[in-house]
């Protein structure tokens, strides 16, 4: 439940930050990673899914279910995994670097979450994503912290129907 609420607040924070930066909401956390190292992969996936029309509930429960499948030693989406392997292979071929091929292969994961504690890992990453939104917002607006909090609160309240 906490991760579902955090996803809603992340979307609100990304929407507010997108308005001030001109970036797409799905780009916010990854861009904030350039300011400070953040767990950006998971929040970006969540924002992409929310942006595609999924609800926070569907997004969060789906990610946790996939991580639980991985914890059981199974692959949740073999087609997606094969596609990511192919993309890594193509990139390594383009760069003609065998070390890059190995590095890319080592980065491929079957889930972005820790399969042993997926819900807690997801919540931590979402909170990190909200922090990333704040970092980017602060860089653009230079307002006090209350302005960001007030704007995000208003956005979250205005769109609370996303939680149903």
């Amino acid at each position: 439940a906490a991760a579902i609420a955090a996803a809603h607040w992340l979307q609100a924070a990304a929407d507010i930050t997108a308005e001030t930066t001109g970036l797409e909401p799905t780009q916010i956390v990854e861009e904030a990673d350039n300011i400070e190292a953040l767990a950006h992969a998971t929040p970006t996936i969540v924002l992409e899914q929310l942006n595609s029309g999924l609800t926070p509930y569907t997004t969060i429960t789906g990610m946790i279910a996939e991580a639980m499948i991985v914890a059981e030693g199974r692959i949740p989406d073999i087609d997606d995994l094969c596609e990511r392997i192919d993309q890594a292979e193509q990139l390594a071929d383009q760069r003609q670097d065998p070390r890059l091929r190995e590095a890319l292969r080592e980065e491929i994961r079957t889930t972005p979450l820790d399969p042993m504690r997926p819900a807690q890992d997801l919540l931590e990453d979402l909170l990190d994503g909200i922090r990333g939104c704040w970092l980017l917002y602060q860089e653009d607006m230079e307002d006090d912290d209350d302005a960001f909090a007030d704007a995000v609160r208003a956005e979250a309240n205005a769109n609370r129907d996303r939680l149903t």
Side-chain angles (χ1 to χ4, degrees):
I4 293 167
H8 174 65
W9 286 91
L10 171 63
Q11 187 175 16
D15 289 347
I16 291 300
T17 306
E19 289 175 14
T20 65
T21 63
L23 295 169
E24 291 295 317
T26 56
Q27 299 172 315
I28 298 295
V29 182
E30 195 166 338
E31 185 65 31
D33 185 54
N34 294 322
I35 299 170
E36 179 180 300
L38 299 166
H40 61 84
T42 302
T44 299
I45 291 168
V46 169
L47 287 169
E48 288 169 349
Q49 290 186 3
L50 295 173
N51 192 51
S52 75
L54 294 178
T55 65
Y57 177 83
T58 302
T59 299
I60 298 309
T61 56
M63 290 183 76
I64 292 171
E66 284 185 2
M68 292 170 62
I69 290 169
V70 171
E72 294 170 355
R74 297 182 294 138
I75 298 172
D77 187 344
I78 191 76
D79 293 332
D80 178 60
L81 180 60
C82 289
E83 184 178 320
R84 287 187 284 136
I85 291 168
D86 287 344
Q87 289 172 349
E89 292 289 328
Q90 289 173 7
L91 182 59
D93 287 345
Q94 289 172 357
R95 303 269 172 89
Q96 298 178 351
D97 185 349
R99 291 180 298 181
L100 177 61
R101 175 174 275 106
E102 290 306 313
L104 290 172
R105 282 183 178 173
E106 288 179 15
E107 286 183 14
I108 296 174
R109 298 179 59 187
T110 52
T111 178
L113 303 176
D114 179 347
M116 303 312 293
R117 52 188 278 290
Q120 185 173 355
D121 188 38
L122 180 55
L123 178 59
E124 291 168 357
D125 288 355
L126 294 174
L127 294 175
D128 217 20
I130 294 169
R131 176 172 168 64
C133 294
W134 173 78
L135 288 170
L136 206 55
Y137 181 92
Q138 289 295 101
E139 192 171 81
D140 257 31
M141 296 301 288
E142 297 185 17
D143 286 341
D144 61 27
D145 294 346
D146 291 339
F148 177 75
D150 292 343
V152 171
R153 187 176 300 110
E155 179 73 14
N157 285 334
N159 293 292
R160 74 181 98 161
D161 60 315
R162 293 187 279 216
L163 288 169
T164 58

